[in-house]
Amino acid sequence: NDTLGHAAGDAMLVHAAEVLRAQTDADMFVARIGGDEFVVFCTGRDEAALAALAGRIVEAMRKPVVFEGHECRFGVSIGIARGARCISGDEAVGKRLLIDADIALYRAKKRGRNRYEFFTQALQAEIVETKKLADDILRGMENDEFEAFYQPQFDARSREIVGVEALVRWRHPNLGLLTPDRFMRVAEQLNVVSA
């Protein structure tokens, strides 16, 4: 869309749909759910079969596509969720599977292009914990719970102080004094850290 226009973007969506159609079986349901996101729904496949399907999709999507003389390349990230057999009309199960697949997709994107990830309970627990920590960080900023600790820097030869390094600490109301290794990664993701 940005470099070749919306017609090129539309052509890439058509290509993605064709790849998905070619890689899936007749009993699988394929749909575009928005933007550049697609969903494949299938039943009766074990983890190995789903991994093989995802691998075939990744490889097929990696092949360049020519649009009006321009070679276009793009990657794909896939989130896979497995669950109990959906009962016809059971919206809650379908919604839960989509949420779980989205969590796995988030992990796949975070780890880089052209990969797939399975949803696991451990992954969900990690996401929930990260969300809780992010909420705590924002609340902690509102309540002035972050403090600067100053550490002198010495010249090794003269032993004179040549500078001071500022180190952040978080006086968490329940967990006590926390060092940056406990919160900095999430704070950076929130974009609340300035240089």
Side-chain angles (χ1 to χ4, degrees):
N1 287 340
D2 294 340
T3 57
L4 299 177
H6 290 286
D10 291 345
M12 295 308 107
L13 290 173
V14 169
H15 170 73
E18 289 171 352
V19 165
L20 291 172
R21 228 183 272 138
Q23 297 302 324
T24 54
D25 297 330
D27 66 335
M28 296 179 182
F29 178 77
V30 179
R32 178 174 166 231
I33 58 173
D36 61 354
E37 292 190 357
F38 291 81
V39 65
V40 176
F41 179 79
C42 57
T43 59
R45 271 55 173 206
D46 62 11
E47 193 167 306
L50 294 172
L53 172 62
R56 288 193 311 269
I57 292 170
V58 167
E59 284 308 308
M61 291 286 200
R62 290 179 68 167
K63 295 177 182 166
V65 180
V66 177
F67 177 80
E68 295 183 353
H70 298 278
E71 190 174 83
C72 302
R73 294 179 179 273
F74 49 90
V76 61
S77 301
I78 300 173
I80 304 170
R82 297 181 67 223
R85 186 178 191 95
C86 283
I87 300 165
S88 180
D90 189 351
E91 275 187 52
V93 173
K95 285 180 181 178
R96 183 74 247 165
L97 283 173
L98 284 174
I99 291 168
D100 293 351
D102 201 43
I103 289 170
L105 175 63
Y106 173 79
R107 169 56 60 87
K109 286 181 176 179
K110 187 175 176 184
R111 290 187 171 173
R113 284 180 140 183
N114 298 317
R115 66 180 306 117
Y116 60 88
E117 293 288 335
F118 280 89
F119 171 82
T120 64
Q121 292 301 320
L123 176 57
Q124 182 178 21
E126 180 185 320
I127 298 295
V128 168
E129 186 60 33
T130 299
K131 170 73 170 98
K132 183 182 178 317
L133 180 59
D135 291 344
D136 282 355
I137 288 170
L138 295 173
R139 181 199 38 78
M141 291 178 68
E142 291 169 357
N143 295 334
D144 295 322
E145 295 171 2
F146 292 89
E147 300 175 18
F149 280 60
Y150 298 97
Q151 175 174 301
Q153 295 176 325
F154 294 91
D155 181 300
R157 293 175 207 259
S158 68
R159 298 184 182 167
E160 292 180 12
I161 295 176
V162 294
V164 177
E165 181 179 19
L167 307 169
V168 67
R169 298 290 185 264
W170 181 9
R171 281 204 193 278
H172 194 282
N174 301 324
L175 302 174
L177 190 64
L178 301 179
T179 55
D181 62 307
R182 298 279 304 273
F183 60 85
M184 192 58 75
R185 179 185 56 82
V186 175
E188 288 171 344
Q189 290 173 0
L190 289 170
N191 203 25
V192 294
V193 178
S194 59

